[in-house]
Amino acid sequence: MRLGFIGAGFVARFQAMAIQQVRGLEIAGILRRSGADALSSWCRQQRLGDAKVYDSIGELARNVDVIAIYAPNYARVAVMEEIHAAVMGGARSRGVIVEKPLGRNMVEASRMVALAREGGLRTAYFENQIFMRSIRTQREQLQPVARTMGPLTLTRSAEEHGGPHEPWFWDPTRQGGGVLLDMGCHSIAVGRYVLTPPDKGLTFLQPQSVSADLGLLKWGQPKWRAQLLKDRGVDYGKTPAEDFATGMVTYRNPETGQIVKAQFTDSWMFEKQGLRLFMDGMGPGYAFEVNTLVSPLSVFIGDAAAEAIADQETALEKATASRGLLAVQTNEADLYGYTDENRDMLEAFSAGRDAMLDWAYGLEIQRLVMAAYLSAERGRTVDLTDSATLRELDSYIPAIQQGKGAAQLL
Ligand SMILES: NC(=O)c1ccc[n+]([C@@H]2O[C@H](COP(=O)([O-])OP(=O)(O)OC[C@H]3O[C@@H](n4cnc5c(N)ncnc54)[C@H](O)[C@@H]3O)[C@@H](O)[C@H]2O)c1
């Protein structure tokens, strides 16, 4: 399958590393943008494909089977409109992948779904955490226990690090919010997946309510605000975004009526070694726990040797320390689920199906994330069984996303 990349930044490089581990996928093209030439030569060196750099989306679409959108959130709809136009004009592409989030709000996310449908494109919504081997293996291992004892009733999911790498992530008007949209979408999705009985569909559990609380706990403080302005050009005194988000999504099992809960916690103010994904789950008499900072490999770098470190991020994504006892992950693309989401997409698209997580599923996650913003903004629990609330969410743009988060966060 000939794959084309739109976006050649952080996640595109991660996905290329994942594709090294997938047979049958070739990186055939990359849209000309910053990072494209460097990624293209790396792909060729690794024999991942020609990775030809194309000047336009139309040209890319004429030369690849599947297009992967790895561009910033604010460019989603414009990029998809060009893909749609190319496909309607007879271009060869038949499938489209998008990294999370599907859009910045429901209006954008719905537009993405509509454009893909009109273009007759197969879709894959890349939510890597659902493909983490640890998450899938605990489901398999615990399935017989769950069948006998009853399903998991509580899960807690967290993604935390010290803050994103590019300025646009920090700007709520371009990214769409702060850490809740950026990483809460992962935790909310994986929480729902973990609670869903393995023999049921992904949207089997019915969302009942969402309550959330947002904070600007570190990057709103004068010292850190000044650093953010200097390093990223974003002024959190004027247009702040949340660096901490927590909340609870309550679901109902439609067959048994049982209520189950998924708690999420996400932050850009995590002061530990680097990125940590943490998930746990409680069932009657059994449990599981995942912590990606626990690695079988650690290295020690003393003060005298710390100057010699070339790049601490080769050991761990978003690494914050370069000395002491450090955790090293040897295959992060696989650990975080990037490899298997590509495998699933390849298998599904080759068979003429949507991927396990399609864009309609991405829209479901978008709705839950928007409900969390609404809950925090209004200071109340959002009832997802109320049709007027669901209608409101369809056009809701969080105040933080509008650049008006000061009253809420400062
Ligand atoms: N699954 C994950 O854990 C994960 C991790 C990081 C990023 N992401 C998602 O991936 C997407 C990209 O993030 P990133 O970290 O790679 O960002 P990035 O800023 O590092 O890279 C963005 C790339 O897109 C290109 N670009 C910018 N504007 C464009 C436009 N208008 N049209 C086409 N290309 C454009 C840039 O030149 C760059 O190559 C985001 O939506 C982000 O949410 C997901």
Side-chain angles (χ1 to χ4, degrees):
M1 179 181 287
R2 289 170 60 80
L3 196 55
F5 279 15
I6 297 181
F10 176 83
V11 93
R13 291 191 298 270
F14 231 129
Q15 292 291 0
M17 279 186 246
I19 290 168
Q20 283 182 302
Q21 304 170 64
V22 182
R23 289 176 68 167
L25 258 188
E26 172 191 344
I27 302 179
I30 303 176
L31 181 69
R32 186 176 304 285
R33 280 280 177 165
S34 63
D37 288 326
L39 184 59
S40 165
S41 39
W42 186 83
C43 290
R44 284 198 307 274
Q45 254 169 29
Q46 301 295 319
R47 298 197 175 84
L48 285 176
D50 290 345
K52 186 162 182 250
V53 178
Y54 290 99
D55 288 327
S56 71
I57 291 179
E59 226 183 308
L60 182 75
R62 282 191 288 280
N63 287 285
V64 300
D65 303 311
V66 172
I67 296 185
I69 305 175
Y70 297 148
N73 302 0
Y74 58 85
R76 284 277 185 285
V77 172
V79 161
M80 190 56 203
E81 276 170 349
E82 282 195 58
I83 296 173
H84 172 265
V87 168
M88 297 306 266
R92 141 186 196 155
S93 292
R94 286 289 160 262
V96 65
I97 298 167
V98 71
E99 259 296 342
K100 64 83 205 167
L102 187 54
R104 287 175 293 186
N105 48 57
M106 288 295 284
V107 179
E108 289 188 356
S110 309
R111 177 89 180 122
M112 295 288 284
V113 172
L115 287 167
R117 274 201 188 128
E118 264 176 50
L121 290 162
R122 295 275 159 250
T123 63
Y125 171 72
F126 268 11
E127 172 41 71
N128 53 287
Q129 293 186 15
I130 287 178
F131 289 93
M132 287 170 69
R133 298 244 169 124
S134 47
I135 287 294
R136 312 197 89 188
T137 304
Q138 65 76 20
R139 257 163 74 101
E140 272 164 39
Q141 288 289 322
L142 293 173
Q143 193 170 6
V145 189
R147 227 179 269 128
T148 310
M149 302 299 292
L152 289 168
T153 52
L154 171 68
T155 185
R156 290 170 286 209
S157 311
E159 177 170 18
E160 302 182 82
H161 58 53
H165 52 282
E166 288 291 333
W168 69 264
F169 278 97
W170 294 89
D171 173 356
T173 64
R174 284 189 288 166
Q175 194 252 119
V179 73
L180 174 58
L181 185 61
D182 185 38
M183 306 198 320
C185 61
H186 288 297
S187 302
I188 287 173
V190 79
R192 185 177 191 172
Y193 178 69
V194 156
L195 290 175
T196 302
D199 56 340
K200 302 294 181 194
L202 291 163
T203 54
F204 169 75
L205 290 176
Q206 296 171 337
Q208 301 295 290
S209 63
V210 177
S211 64
D213 186 19
L214 305 183
L216 181 52
L217 302 180
K218 175 181 175 181
W219 296 99
Q221 299 298 313
K223 173 181 153 59
W224 299 105
R225 220 166 67 197
Q227 189 178 321
L228 194 58
L229 187 59
K230 182 168 155 275
D231 296 348
R232 315 287 188 186
V234 178
D235 187 353
Y236 270 16
K238 293 193 180 120
T239 51
E242 73 285 358
D243 62 8
F244 175 76
T246 191
M248 186 77 81
V249 188
T250 301
Y251 299 96
R252 182 176 173 276
N253 181 318
E255 285 175 4
T256 62
Q258 188 172 7
I259 294 295
V260 292
K261 287 181 184 275
Q263 197 240 319
F264 58 91
T265 298
D266 298 277
S267 84
W268 284 346
M269 45 157 303
F270 190 62
E271 301 293 355
K272 292 186 182 170
Q273 299 95 313
L275 169 68
R276 182 182 72 175
L277 303 183
F278 177 88
M279 298 95 170
D280 77 359
M282 303 291 145
Y286 67 96
F288 80 88
E289 184 171 312
V290 177
N291 179 351
T292 60
L293 276 184
V294 178
S295 170
L297 174 63
S298 58
V299 295
F300 177 78
I301 309 287
D303 287 352
E307 296 298 307
I309 294 270
D311 175 6
Q312 69 230 38
E313 273 212 74
T314 57
L316 189 71
E317 182 183 335
K318 308 275 186 311
T320 53
S322 54
R323 68 186 72 186
L325 192 61
L326 304 171
V328 181
Q329 288 294 359
T330 54
N331 189 346
E332 287 184 292
D334 191 57
L335 176 70
Y336 304 143
Y338 295 114
T339 310
D340 282 349
E341 68 183 351
N342 277 286
R343 279 202 188 109
D344 169 73
M345 177 281 299
L346 172 64
E347 210 177 293
F349 284 10
S350 301
R353 296 192 308 268
D354 287 325
M356 180 179 120
L357 309 179
D358 60 12
W359 286 12
Y361 169 83
L363 194 61
E364 292 278 320
I365 299 305
Q366 189 88 38
R367 186 176 295 112
L368 295 175
V369 174
M370 288 300 117
Y373 274 105
L374 186 67
S375 164
E377 201 174 298
R378 306 268 164 92
R380 62 170 172 77
T381 298
V382 169
D383 180 356
L384 292 172
T385 64
D386 174 46
S387 52
T389 304
L390 293 176
R391 273 197 306 279
E392 184 181 2
L393 287 172
D394 282 343
S395 57
Y396 166 67
I397 314 288
I400 293 171
Q401 184 173 137
Q402 294 177 46
K404 298 178 186 161
Q408 194 182 337
L409 295 170
L410 294 177

